[in-house]
Amino acid sequence: MALEIMEGSIAIAQAVRRCRPQVVAAYPITPQTHIVEALAEIVANGELSADYITVESEFSALSACEGAVAAGSRAYSATTSQGLALMFEVCFNMAGMRLPLVMTIANRAMGAPLSIWNDQQDSIALRDAGWLQLYAEDNQEAVDLHYIGYRVAEDHRVLLPVMVCFDGFVLSHTYEPVDMLTQEEVDAYLPPFVPKFMLDAKNPVSMGMYATPDYYPEFRYETDLAQKRALEVIREAGREFGEQFGRDYSALVESYRMDDAETAIIAMGSICGTTKEAVDEMRDAGKRVGLVRLRTFRPFPTEDLREALSGVSRVAVLDRNVSLGAGGTVHRGAVVLEVKDALYGEPIPVLDYVIGLGGRDVRIEDIKRVVELCEAGDGDRFYGLRTEVL
Amino acid sequence: MAIDKTCELFDCGHRACGGCGASMAARLLLKASGPETIVVSSTGCMEVFSTPYPETAWKVPWIHSLFENASAVASGIESALKQQGRSEKVVVVAGDGATFDIGVLCISGAFERGHDITYICYDNEAYMNTGIQRSGATPFDASTTTSPAGRVSFGNKHPKKDMPRILAAHGSPYVATASVAYPADFMQKVERAISTEGPTYVQVHAPCCTGWGFDGAKTVAIGKLAIETGLWVNYELVDGEVAKVKKVVKKPVEEYLKEQKRFRHLFKPKLQEEEIAKIQAIADRNFERYGHEIRLPPKKAPEGA
């Protein structure tokens, strides 16, 4: 294993190169730009034999990927925020047509107001589109999830597109030590794409036909079944990755210092790094606190989460998004709704903290404060508001 | 490559209206393209009448994604085929709404990037699938459900957008207009478009008996009248220059208009001479621009008169 200090975006681009996509289609948007610039350079230098389509919009980026995959090629795209929103219609379509892809999301807030900074509102908004959503805590994980992502997406038990989500700027523009697998290692892990159906004059098929009420619900059911099957396929792919390269990703939720924990914090993405530091400090001070990190949001690991939370007295969810209008008179993000669903019937209080929106920094002190608030039963609120500007 | 006219790749049993111009276009274009074709369809009448799951009329590989992204999907397919060393031709088939209006962004991108695709727009001059609403291809004064003729309106207020020129301006090496009323000409143009490298465009006039209001047995006759009156011109633009125009003996526009319910308000309850003159002016400008009027020598007066 050779660690290299690399910017997150560059590491992603290098990982994508090793996945050998034949078609790359992307449109520049901050903070995704370094990925697609690096890939353009890789293609220009002949280090990846791919067609790099410089599309005129994100809408076309994903549409072109859809066409490429339908024609039997592995494809790649990356975007964030407004770009992902512009892809909205294609996202649903690709999942419905069961066309596998890996797309990197450099998570960023949604306008208005315009913000280029990090939260997870963008991918969360695509929650119901049929894509698998994997969230990385650091750049090593972000890189590895691309290999795993293609494995899972293209698995015939799944055949769904995957968003690999990593926090914009916080990870995308940060230098961290990363172990980049060699091409041979990636080739040994990730086989070439074998489509189940494709556009081919030798065997003509019609793809993307319309369905009357006599057929439509069954299509949706089968797509949801594929999400269910993905739970195990992700575990499998993550386990094999661990066996080959020593980093095990078989767990859909990661439990950090959860033994005997009374308070569990639930979070996704880079905020978990800060949270782990906070947990260590609180543990040192004698507090029984742990972190349960969600690696997948779709499919949602309901059973895994229940198991991880068994025995806790209270749960604090850090939501880097807000589900506007949810929760009646209290404030809630999207993650807590899923957590409450997973814990339905359990007498465990679950409190939500809408935190770190639009790039607002979340420090160790903030996590500690959240735990104090949770212990006091004060939650389902925005955390860290500047009341002086309201 | 000779066109195999016996080749039938658009199957019977689809659900288009009797006399549908668009279905004629689909059948003819596949005769011209042959089996080594991947068709990318936009949402629209043709998509709906030809592919109700689990049935399909397409005997070539066919994909439909969305209303407005057919040319972007086609870009990706073409790139993938190139990467895989495959030889199928990529043909987009889309209606005028998908082409003139909602798909312009994707079309512009695909043409500017120079993908080797052929784009066929079947132009029936309104959103027919959703119930005859106006599009950027709807002719001046046509009554549609969103540009209805009324007490203070003569219908669609805008002239038809000049989409062929817009695509020629993108540097397309071959742009043509055609009509289902002239099948051999349309098929030749499709064949030429497909065999020309780069993004090419054929806009085929596809009269819609349901949307325009005429007897479905008259689709070809209506298509011919559009050309003979100068309201539709069949021409080719090779590298942006007019290369060939179908010549006609000019007929007054009334002959075309009076056959269709969408222009009925120009004749009933009273003749709207001013409006018809405006439409005649559009036809006259076409004749001036393309110079395709055949001027017959004046008939001699009968002897003894």
Side-chain angles (χ1 to χ4, degrees):
Chain A
M1 186 167 91
L3 288 176
E4 289 175 65
I5 308 285
M6 298 175 88
E7 190 194 282
S9 296
I10 307 302
I12 299 284
Q14 287 295 341
V16 169
R17 179 192 127 202
R18 287 159 170 81
C19 294
R20 301 185 187 272
Q22 289 185 316
V23 175
V24 175
Y27 186 82
I29 179 168
T30 304
Q32 152 266 38
T33 42
H34 289 188
I35 303 173
V36 297
E37 288 167 3
L39 265 174
E41 219 174 290
I42 285 166
V43 171
N45 289 328
E47 292 161 11
L48 170 67
S49 168
D51 212 31
Y52 189 109
I53 311 178
T54 49
V55 283
E56 79 297 334
S57 71
E58 287 91 353
F59 179 73
S60 279
L62 194 55
S63 299
C65 286
E66 182 175 13
V69 178
S73 283
R74 182 174 289 160
Y76 172 77
S77 192
T79 190
T80 177
S81 183
Q82 315 299 135
L84 183 59
L86 190 54
M87 293 176 173
F88 183 92
E89 195 185 5
V90 196
C91 284
F92 276 76
N93 198 256
M94 242 184 130
M97 285 173 73
R98 307 296 297 278
L99 295 169
L101 181 81
V102 168
M103 178 159 74
T104 314
I105 309 297
N107 282 115
R108 166 182 150 181
M110 291 296 305
L114 179 69
S115 166
I116 58 166
W117 293 280
N118 169 236
D119 64 36
Q120 294 165 342
Q121 192 76 60
D122 50 358
S123 49
I124 291 286
L126 267 290
R127 185 187 68 175
D128 299 330
W131 290 53
L132 311 186
Q133 292 193 356
L134 313 177
Y135 287 81
E137 177 184 336
D138 56 25
N139 285 337
Q140 182 68 67
E141 186 177 18
V143 161
D144 293 343
L145 287 179
H146 283 76
Y147 311 128
I148 293 168
Y150 277 112
R151 265 279 290 258
V152 173
E154 294 169 2
D155 190 300
H156 285 197
R157 292 168 290 174
V158 178
L159 291 174
L160 286 174
V162 172
M163 291 181 198
V164 176
C165 305
F166 81 140
D167 288 323
F169 290 119
V170 180
L171 294 179
S172 67
H173 287 54
T174 299
Y175 282 70
E176 288 187 334
V178 178
D179 169 31
M180 293 304 301
L181 302 180
T182 64
Q183 185 64 64
E184 293 69 34
E185 286 173 319
V186 175
D187 288 346
Y189 178 76
L190 178 63
F193 173 39
V194 181
K196 190 164 183 182
F197 303 103
M198 63 184 271
L199 299 167
D200 180 3
K202 288 193 283 293
N203 180 29
V205 292
S206 288
M207 300 171 79
M209 304 156 77
Y210 84 93
T212 58
D214 290 338
Y215 293 98
Y216 184 86
E218 285 72 21
F219 276 101
R220 301 298 281 168
Y221 171 70
E222 292 201 20
T223 307
D224 200 34
L225 272 189
Q227 284 270 353
K228 310 292 167 212
R229 286 195 296 269
L231 290 164
E232 189 50 34
V233 177
I234 296 167
R235 286 191 199 103
E236 242 176 67
R239 190 176 309 118
E240 268 184 53
F241 192 90
E243 284 162 10
Q244 289 188 37
F245 311 116
R247 290 185 295 276
D248 189 296
Y249 294 100
S250 58
L252 306 183
V253 298
E254 180 201 2
S255 293
Y256 183 79
R257 302 195 73 170
M258 279 298 293
D259 292 342
D260 79 356
E262 287 174 345
T263 305
I265 303 166
I266 297 181
M268 308 195 295
S270 65
I271 198 174
C272 294
T274 313
T275 305
K276 285 175 180 174
E277 295 284 328
V279 165
D280 287 348
E281 289 186 15
M282 287 184 279
R283 283 278 181 180
D284 289 347
K287 252 188 189 170
R288 286 157 64 182
V289 182
L291 165 72
V292 175
R293 177 167 75 89
L294 296 168
R295 184 176 281 132
T296 68
F297 186 67
R298 282 294 179 271
F300 194 81
T302 304
E303 292 83 2
D304 308 56
L305 187 66
R306 274 181 77 89
E307 200 186 316
L309 294 174
S310 65
V312 304
S313 308
R314 65 189 76 81
V315 174
V317 178
L318 306 179
D319 254 309
R320 293 200 88 162
N321 71 90
V322 56
S323 184
L324 297 170
T329 54
V330 301
H331 300 285
R332 283 189 183 140
V335 177
V336 77
L337 302 176
E338 308 274 347
V339 174
K340 279 179 171 287
D341 173 51
L343 292 181
Y344 184 76
E346 300 285 336
I348 306 172
V350 178
L351 295 173
D352 195 32
Y353 302 89
V354 175
I355 194 167
L357 299 190
R360 178 75 56 89
D361 200 19
V362 180
R363 299 155 304 163
I364 290 171
E365 293 311 311
D366 297 317
I367 308 288
K368 289 181 178 174
R369 180 73 189 128
V370 161
V371 171
E372 281 170 16
L373 288 169
C374 185
E375 285 167 348
D378 182 0
D380 292 337
R381 49 177 277 183
F382 275 67
Y383 173 85
L385 286 178
R386 293 180 59 213
T387 48
E388 69 272 23
V389 298
L390 288 173
Chain B
M1 188 176 82
I3 295 168
D4 175 10
K5 289 178 187 162
T6 64
C7 156
E8 293 290 356
L9 295 166
F10 189 74
D11 220 344
C12 54
H14 58 72
R15 296 162 189 206
C17 308
C20 167
S23 69
M24 292 168 67
R27 182 175 169 220
L28 295 168
L29 89 88
L30 288 188
K31 281 175 181 286
S33 73
E36 292 286 308
T37 307
I38 293 175
V39 172
V40 185
S41 186
S42 67
T43 309
C45 256
M46 190 185 287
E47 172 254 331
V48 169
F49 72 62
S50 66
T51 64
Y53 180 87
E55 296 161 18
T56 181
W58 301 87
K59 294 163 96 171
V60 295
W62 178 93
I63 185 171
H64 157 254
S65 170
L66 301 168
F67 196 3
E68 67 277 40
N69 71 348
S71 41
V73 172
S75 301
I77 294 172
E78 186 256 3
S79 282
L81 297 184
K82 217 163 54 189
Q83 284 288 314
Q84 296 172 32
R86 286 163 60 185
S87 59
E88 291 111 309
K89 294 294 184 182
V90 183
V91 175
V92 175
V93 187
D96 51 282
T99 305
F100 285 59
D101 296 345
I102 199 167
V104 168
L105 173 78
C106 297
I107 298 169
S108 177
F111 272 63
E112 172 267 320
R113 293 189 300 271
H115 290 278
D116 188 14
I117 59 175
T118 294
Y119 193 111
I120 314 277
C121 169
Y122 66 96
D123 183 3
N124 52 23
E125 304 191 322
Y127 293 93
M128 296 314 185
N129 190 42
T130 42
I132 321 162
Q133 295 85 11
R134 82 164 290 276
S135 77
T138 301
F140 180 72
D141 269 1
S143 182
T144 73
T145 55
T146 53
S147 64
R151 278 191 295 277
V152 294
S153 170
F154 290 108
N156 187 44
K157 291 181 173 59
H158 308 279
K160 200 177 171 77
K161 190 193 280 188
D162 193 350
M163 202 62 193
R165 297 274 175 177
I166 292 170
L167 292 174
H170 279 71
S172 170
Y174 183 76
V175 168
T177 54
S179 168
V180 295
Y182 296 92
D185 176 67
F186 172 50
M187 287 192 288
Q188 277 163 19
K189 285 170 173 167
V190 170
E191 190 196 14
R192 180 158 179 193
I194 289 175
S195 58
T196 301
E197 205 182 321
T200 54
Y201 179 74
V202 180
Q203 185 173 305
V204 58
H205 204 213
C208 171
C209 46
T210 310
W212 299 4
F214 63 82
D215 176 353
K218 290 186 175 172
T219 303
V220 169
I222 293 285
K224 285 190 170 172
L225 274 172
I227 288 174
E228 287 161 356
T229 53
L231 288 173
W232 182 274
V233 186
N234 266 1
Y235 59 88
E236 289 179 305
L237 299 172
V238 176
D239 294 323
E241 301 297 325
V242 178
K244 196 178 99 184
V245 186
K246 177 174 174 53
K247 301 221 179 241
V248 294
V249 178
K250 185 176 176 179
K251 288 183 176 170
V253 293
E254 287 94 324
E255 291 193 25
Y256 176 62
L257 304 176
K258 69 180 192 311
E259 296 294 324
Q260 306 171 54
K261 280 188 191 157
R262 62 178 174 161
F263 296 114
R264 185 173 48 188
H265 57 286
L266 302 179
F267 300 92
K268 285 177 186 171
K270 62 169 187 152
L271 190 67
Q272 302 293 343
E273 286 178 13
E274 253 180 63
E275 290 304 306
I276 292 172
K278 288 180 196 167
I279 298 172
Q280 186 62 56
I282 292 171
D284 291 346
R285 273 199 300 278
N286 282 339
F287 279 111
E288 206 173 299
R289 187 176 193 186
Y290 293 99
H292 62 300
E293 183 182 350
I294 299 170
R295 292 180 193 274
L296 298 172
K299 281 182 187 157
K300 281 182 189 165
E303 278 183 37

